Amino acid sequence: MNEGVLAQKAYALALRVVRLTKHIRARDAPSTLCSQLLRSGTSVGANVEEAGYGQSTPDFISKLSIARKEARETGYWLRLLHDAGYLEAAGFKSVHADCEEVLRLLTSSIKTAQSRLPAKPTKPTSH
């Protein structure tokens, strides 16, 4: 997996979330919901960026795992705002699809990085 593609898509998602938050605030969406979406949606890309400078493979995996959790949370806030009537169906489908794509890329990157870790030695069984 090319980490550049993941970083680009995570950044694009963050930018969409920033613009979307501005739009839904104008529709009088509760500020708490907007703040949560903004926080989680921008955190995805920030953690991907940090992962690129991880000190080790486990650190890289940890940062991407945090990004994946934030992406899942972003999806939750998007669904909630849509179901509460603050986000139109077309806009929701588009940004939610972007969020799901980033989730898939994160999962793939994590699995690839995990496969590169040395195998853990097994403990002999005691009798």
Side-chain angles (χ1 to χ4, degrees):
M1 162 69 214
N2 181 348
E3 299 311 322
V5 171
L6 173 58
Q8 290 171 1
K9 292 196 178 275
Y11 183 85
L13 175 64
L15 188 56
R16 287 196 74 187
V17 165
V18 168
R19 291 176 176 155
L20 177 64
T21 303
K22 182 179 177 182
H23 171 74
I24 59 177
R25 279 192 175 155
R27 298 189 69 188
D28 293 326
S31 62
T32 303
L33 298 180
C34 293
S35 295
Q36 289 292 104
L37 173 63
L38 185 62
R39 186 202 53 75
S40 66
T42 57
S43 180
V44 176
N47 279 288
V48 169
E49 190 75 15
E50 281 188 54
Y53 295 95
Q55 297 173 340
S56 63
T57 301
D59 186 40
F60 175 79
I61 293 167
S62 175
K63 295 291 190 236
L64 287 187
S65 296
I66 293 168
R68 183 171 57 180
K69 289 177 183 179
E70 295 292 339
R72 290 190 56 84
E73 183 179 339
T74 300
Y76 170 83
W77 295 119
L78 289 169
R79 288 190 314 274
L80 184 62
L81 286 160
H82 171 258
D83 292 345
Y86 295 107
L87 183 54
E88 302 88 10
F92 165 75
K93 286 179 184 177
S94 175
V95 72
H96 194 262
D98 287 353
C99 186
E100 290 294 318
E101 180 182 17
V102 169
L103 267 168
R104 285 189 299 276
L105 291 171
L106 285 164
T107 298
S108 175
S109 293
I110 291 166
K111 286 180 180 179
T112 298
Q114 287 172 333
S115 73
R116 293 182 181 151
L117 288 173
K120 292 183 181 178
T122 57
K123 291 184 182 181
T125 58
S126 57
H127 298 282

